[in-house]
Amino acid sequence: MAKTLVFGHQNPDTDTIASAIGASYLLNTLYDQDTEAVALGTVNDETKFALDKFGVAAPRVIETADTEDVYLVDHNEAAQSVANIAEVNVLGIYDHHKFDFKSSAPLYIINKPWGSVATILFFEFKTANVAIPAEIAGLLASAVISDTLLLKSPTTTAMDKEALAGLAAAAGLDDVEAYGLALLKAGTDLSKKSEKELIDGDAKSFEIGGHTFRIGQVNTVDIDEVLTRQAALETEIKAEMAAEGYDNFLFVITDILNSNSKALYIGAETAAVEKAFDKSLTDNVIDLPGVVSRKKQVVPPLNAAF
Amino acid sequence: MAKTLVFGHQNPDTDTIASAIGASYLLNTLYDQDTEAVALGTVNDETKFALDKFGVAAPRVIETADTEDVYLVDHNEAAQSVANIAEVNVLGIYDHHKFDFKSSAPLYIINKPWGSVATILFFEFKTANVAIPAEIAGLLASAVISDTLLLKSPTTTAMDKEALAGLAAAAGLDDVEAYGLALLKAGTDLSKKSEKELIDGDAKSFEIGGHTFRIGQVNTVDIDEVLTRQAALETEIKAEMAAEGYDNFLFVITDILNSNSKALYIGAETAAVEKAFDKSLTDNVIDLPGVVSRKKQVVPPLNAAF
């Protein structure tokens, strides 16, 4: 019989990949499930750095789920999930996002407003007294670092700090700061990426005020270097909006060293976008000082502005 | 400042009342919240029996939530919640139902497919190493008994059995079986109730296959005695359907001693209802042998039939 699939969101990031692997291990060990961690896309450079460091193979990539039952990690909204999500039965969800989920039967949901799903899993392992294998602890530590930008993002909670310390210890990671910076930098070499790869990587779809918003984000150590490619980025964004039917596209470029962002916006809702961030768009670019978290600092103000 | 409200569903049952009281205590003790357990209606006879037994006052009844933040227990769907649910911010949910919930920000959700929310709370207390006061343990034990019909309902899990044993011990409840039967019987004296009270008590609204279903349930020790009032019940159901705009009304009458039900159905979807339960309607009544759980044995077959 095919194993029950465990997967995170499309355009997988480190938290989605690490959480799928961690949750699958927890479910198999603690709850006698027969699950397999899979991914809805190839891993990004940052995640590959973490997988290589801890000697774990990247999960198999799937387009549709071929099992009746699945577990979701790091997402709950259908738009971010596998193509045939409406046809499968969700047995459980480990997530840390806003919620928009409908089931026809009772299920397991553990959703907590913490910095990463890896943090939630760390405490699930701890509560259940299940030891975390070193390589999985290393991946989960990488996920906490990735989602909280080394505990500097405003999404960071006290639980994330405790989890990262515990996971680093279990992984035998002596210098978390040095490893964390190397991990984050591994995800910021954008020079080899096409414009399409830049706008697609980590992009998610949102329904905001009745409009479709596609919101992408890249991490960098030099925002202006990314913006030298603005014209080509806009061409690619417009082509994708036309092809996919997105009304709005917001491409957030985040300086992970200084915790600031600028965003490139294409769409007709300029007034609402300016209102959301209390800044003016200049040549389609809006300055977002102090913004690093899409979930906490981009989506909620947009929701509020509509 | 007003306390953050914690409440269960409309037409409160014992699990909704006990869980609101238990969750409020847990939140105040473990998470330094300042919460108050309230109710969306007056307590029923069964719940009153439990409150009297353990010397706890019934929660204050509210119609609308007058605080910005709330916690939900034993429900997540807006149709079953406080009137102004769309205007308040849900900080967290403890529930054991199917899910249909949308938030604009990350929040706490603990949803598990166990027999009662009281069971989930028992394990939350246990995990957090927080002692349960005897009177709250007694209420939570009553909730497990009520929702699982003394561990006989098909919704009963191994977790419910462990929780009831632990809660009974903490409450100093020596003879769980005798107390449980007395509790369940306290909820079955239907003779003093009007037809309106019978059909409203514990009734919930569901969206099933694009239709509005109002599904009520009463527990009894004699189904036929309830059906001697069928004509008057139908008159009251039709009046309520017209007044509230329900397309369908299913009134489930459950024999808690023999674990069987019959249901009175008013609406135009007779074919779907007969298909759902693989039985014929005779004079608007359908036989439901072995059915005791609305959540597990009534709603899912209806969903499947549409």
Side-chain angles (χ1 to χ4, degrees):
Chain A
M1 211 182 71
K3 290 172 187 288
T4 301
L5 302 179
V6 182
F7 50 83
H9 55 73
Q10 295 169 17
N11 296 317
D13 57 15
T14 302
D15 193 31
T16 259
I17 297 291
S19 297
I21 291 169
S24 174
Y25 180 85
L26 181 70
L27 290 164
N28 293 353
T29 309
L30 184 61
Y31 295 108
D32 285 328
Q33 302 278 293
D34 186 23
T35 70
E36 176 191 4
V38 293
L40 305 189
T42 51
V43 299
N44 65 29
D45 290 345
E46 182 196 277
T47 308
K48 187 174 182 312
F49 183 90
L51 290 166
D52 290 347
K53 163 86 179 178
F54 296 103
V56 178
R60 181 166 69 90
V61 174
I62 63 162
E63 300 236 326
T64 54
D66 59 355
T67 50
E68 198 178 323
D69 296 328
V70 304
Y71 286 91
L72 309 184
V73 298
D74 199 25
H75 75 297
N76 65 81
E77 304 192 36
Q80 297 162 14
S81 197
V82 78
N84 63 333
I85 184 70
E87 292 145 36
V88 296
N89 179 40
V90 178
L91 291 181
I93 302 174
Y94 293 101
D95 196 10
H96 67 141
H97 290 94
K98 75 186 177 73
F99 234 73
D100 186 359
F101 179 81
K102 196 170 171 166
S103 73
S104 59
L107 75 165
Y108 287 91
I109 304 175
I110 311 286
N111 192 76
K112 299 184 179 180
W114 297 347
S116 71
V117 178
T119 302
I120 296 168
L121 288 172
F122 169 77
F123 283 99
E124 293 288 313
F125 274 102
K126 192 178 169 186
T127 298
N129 247 320
V130 175
I132 313 179
E135 73 279 10
I136 293 180
L139 291 182
L140 292 173
S142 306
V144 180
I145 291 164
S146 171
D147 263 26
T148 66
L149 297 177
L150 247 173
L151 306 179
K152 281 191 293 189
S153 162
T155 57
T156 308
T157 67
M159 312 307 279
D160 299 304
K161 292 174 188 170
E162 185 178 339
L164 181 52
L167 290 165
L173 208 52
D174 293 331
D175 191 339
V176 176
E177 190 77 15
Y179 170 70
L181 280 176
L183 174 75
L184 293 174
K185 275 189 188 163
T188 67
D189 182 7
L190 308 178
S191 61
K192 280 177 257 162
K193 295 201 169 166
S194 69
E195 281 72 26
K196 183 160 175 49
E197 286 171 326
L198 288 182
I199 65 164
D200 283 350
D202 197 39
K204 291 182 187 172
S205 296
F206 297 86
E207 277 291 319
I208 299 177
H211 302 276
T212 317
F213 265 82
R214 185 76 173 171
I215 307 182
Q217 185 173 25
V218 289
N219 290 336
T220 179
V221 292
D222 188 345
I223 292 176
D224 290 335
E225 190 187 306
V226 178
L227 281 174
T228 59
R229 301 164 70 177
Q230 182 176 349
L233 283 165
E234 289 192 7
T235 303
E236 197 60 46
I237 286 172
K238 284 171 188 164
E240 183 152 313
M241 288 171 70
E244 303 290 339
Y246 305 132
D247 303 334
N248 302 273
F249 203 112
L250 193 72
F251 180 63
V252 181
I253 309 160
T254 299
D255 177 342
I256 54 162
L257 296 186
N258 298 301
S259 300
N260 284 313
S261 296
K262 289 183 181 181
L264 180 59
Y265 171 71
I266 308 290
E269 307 298 328
T270 50
V273 171
E274 292 185 333
K275 184 180 156 206
F277 302 108
D278 198 19
K279 288 274 176 185
S280 298
L281 280 155
T282 307
D283 187 23
N284 299 334
V285 174
I286 191 163
D287 203 24
L288 305 175
V291 169
V292 295
S293 164
R294 172 170 52 193
K295 185 169 72 174
K296 203 133 179 169
Q297 298 170 294
V298 176
V299 174
L302 280 172
N303 264 317
F306 278 98
Chain B
M1 209 181 73
K3 291 172 186 288
T4 301
L5 302 179
V6 182
F7 50 83
H9 54 73
Q10 295 168 18
N11 297 318
D13 57 14
T14 302
D15 193 31
T16 258
I17 297 292
S19 297
I21 291 169
S24 174
Y25 181 83
L26 181 71
L27 291 164
N28 294 353
T29 308
L30 184 62
Y31 296 109
D32 284 328
Q33 302 277 294
D34 186 21
T35 71
E36 177 191 3
V38 293
L40 304 189
T42 50
V43 299
N44 64 30
D45 290 345
E46 181 195 275
T47 308
K48 188 174 182 313
F49 182 90
L51 290 166
D52 289 348
K53 163 88 181 175
F54 296 102
V56 178
R60 181 166 69 91
V61 174
I62 62 162
E63 300 237 323
T64 55
D66 60 354
T67 50
E68 198 177 323
D69 296 328
V70 304
Y71 286 92
L72 309 184
V73 298
D74 199 25
H75 74 296
N76 66 81
E77 303 192 36
Q80 298 163 12
S81 196
V82 77
N84 64 333
I85 184 70
E87 291 144 36
V88 297
N89 179 39
V90 178
L91 291 181
I93 302 174
Y94 292 101
D95 196 11
H96 66 142
H97 290 95
K98 74 186 179 73
F99 234 72
D100 186 0
F101 179 81
K102 196 169 171 168
S103 73
S104 60
L107 75 165
Y108 286 91
I109 304 175
I110 311 286
N111 192 77
K112 299 183 180 180
W114 298 345
S116 71
V117 178
T119 302
I120 297 168
L121 289 172
F122 169 77
F123 283 98
E124 292 290 312
F125 274 102
K126 191 178 169 185
T127 298
N129 248 318
V130 175
I132 312 179
E135 74 279 10
I136 294 181
L139 291 181
L140 293 173
S142 305
V144 180
I145 292 165
S146 170
D147 263 26
T148 66
L149 297 177
L150 249 174
L151 306 178
K152 281 192 292 191
S153 161
T155 57
T156 308
T157 67
M159 313 306 279
D160 299 304
K161 291 174 187 167
E162 186 178 337
L164 181 53
L167 290 165
L173 207 53
D174 293 331
D175 191 339
V176 177
E177 190 77 16
Y179 170 70
L181 281 176
L183 175 74
L184 293 175
K185 277 190 187 162
T188 67
D189 182 7
L190 308 178
S191 60
K192 280 177 258 163
K193 295 200 169 170
S194 69
E195 280 73 27
K196 182 159 174 49
E197 286 171 326
L198 289 182
I199 65 164
D200 283 351
D202 198 41
K204 291 183 186 172
S205 296
F206 297 86
E207 277 292 319
I208 299 178
H211 302 275
T212 317
F213 266 82
R214 184 75 171 171
I215 307 181
Q217 185 174 25
V218 288
N219 290 335
T220 180
V221 290
D222 187 346
I223 292 175
D224 291 334
E225 188 187 309
V226 178
L227 282 175
T228 59
R229 301 165 70 177
Q230 181 174 351
L233 283 166
E234 289 192 6
T235 303
E236 197 59 44
I237 286 172
K238 284 171 188 165
E240 182 152 313
M241 289 169 72
E244 303 289 338
Y246 304 133
D247 303 334
N248 302 273
F249 203 111
L250 193 72
F251 179 63
V252 181
I253 308 159
T254 299
D255 177 342
I256 54 161
L257 296 186
N258 298 301
S259 301
N260 284 314
S261 295
K262 289 183 182 180
L264 180 59
Y265 171 69
I266 308 290
E269 306 299 329
T270 50
V273 170
E274 293 186 332
K275 185 178 155 205
F277 302 108
D278 198 18
K279 288 273 176 187
S280 297
L281 280 155
T282 307
D283 186 24
N284 299 332
V285 173
I286 191 163
D287 203 25
L288 305 175
V291 168
V292 295
S293 164
R294 171 170 53 191
K295 186 169 72 173
K296 204 134 179 168
Q297 297 172 293
V298 177
V299 175
L302 280 172
N303 264 316
F306 277 98

